[in-house]
Each structure stands twice: as C-alpha cells, then as structure tokens.
Amino acid sequence: QVQVVESGGGLVQAGGSLRLSCVASGRTFSSYRMNWFRQPPEKERAFVAASSWSGNTYYSDFVKGRFTISRDNAKNTVYLEMNNLKPEDTAVYYCTVSEGSSFAASDMDYWGTGTLVTVSP
C-alpha cells in the first residue's frame, strides 16, 4: 500500500508565494517519478510539474518560470515552490506517484487527496 499526502495549500493574494509538500509512504520505491496536477473549479485535472528520481524536472508551459519542483529522495518527498501566483492558479493541487513514462493523469499510479490553493486578486 502507498499513501500520498499533500500539504501547504492555503489562501494567498496575487503575486504571493506558497510551497506545497508531498510525502509518499507505505513501501519502498526503486525508481519513480513524483508529479503535481491541479484541478481548477469546474475544469479538468491538468499536469503541472514532475520530478524524476534522478532529478530531471518537467513543467507545463503555463507555470514554467514561476513554479519550481524539487525532491528529497531520502524522505520520499517532493516540493512545489509557487511564486508570483495568479488568480487562475486557484485549484486543488494533487500529488501523484508514477512508475511509467506517461504524464497523463490516467496513467498515474497513486494519488493524494489534494490541497486547496486559493489566490485572491
């Protein structure tokens, strides 16, 4: 069994910053990627960023230059530093674990329950 838990969401004004954290636990992982998705109100879930076990990072065009993903393999933890937040960043942010090569939401192996980020104008 694998448990994925996000934390760090909250309310912030536009232009502000937040750091999200995600911890995966329950079993050992040999090689896996940790990912962030988000689901704005009334919209579908969308890929945000990902970090491979070796440290390679991937970003959606929408957040590139504002968000930074990092990970601590020893702690099975990934972080998402979000800077210059915009109202359109408001969403439930989900952390996932994947062992395949796909970035599609349907191909994620484990999901957290999400943490809400609300950006006020």
Side-chain angles (χ1 to χ4, degrees):
Q1 296 181 346
V2 174
Q3 183 178 19
V4 182
V5 180
E6 310 96 333
S7 63
L11 175 65
V12 65
Q13 292 185 220
S17 300
L18 284 174
R19 190 182 79 158
L20 306 183
S21 299
C22 173
V23 180
S25 62
R27 70 169 177 86
T28 185
F29 297 93
S30 58
S31 179
Y32 64 96
R33 190 177 72 247
M34 297 185 74
N35 318 267
W36 288 97
F37 286 77
R38 71 184 187 186
Q39 185 169 20
E42 307 300 325
K43 295 183 179 180
E44 299 296 320
R45 293 186 183 185
F47 173 79
V48 176
S51 178
S52 72
W53 187 91
S54 60
N56 293 325
T57 58
Y58 311 85
Y59 298 94
S60 69
D61 290 337
F62 191 80
V63 304
K64 188 178 297 183
R66 297 189 298 123
F67 292 8
T68 301
I69 189 170
S70 61
R71 69 187 291 164
D72 185 337
N73 289 339
K75 298 179 180 179
N76 290 328
T77 300
V78 66
Y79 307 93
L80 185 68
E81 180 72 30
M82 305 184 294
N83 300 308
N84 191 26
L85 285 162
K86 306 176 184 297
E88 50 264 44
D89 294 318
T90 294
V92 176
Y93 283 72
Y94 298 91
C95 179
T96 74
V97 172
S98 61
E99 296 182 292
S101 60
S102 174
F103 290 86
S106 60
D107 291 324
M108 299 296 102
D109 295 302
Y110 303 98
W111 289 80
T113 56
T115 185
L116 177 63
V117 172
T118 302
V119 184
S120 62

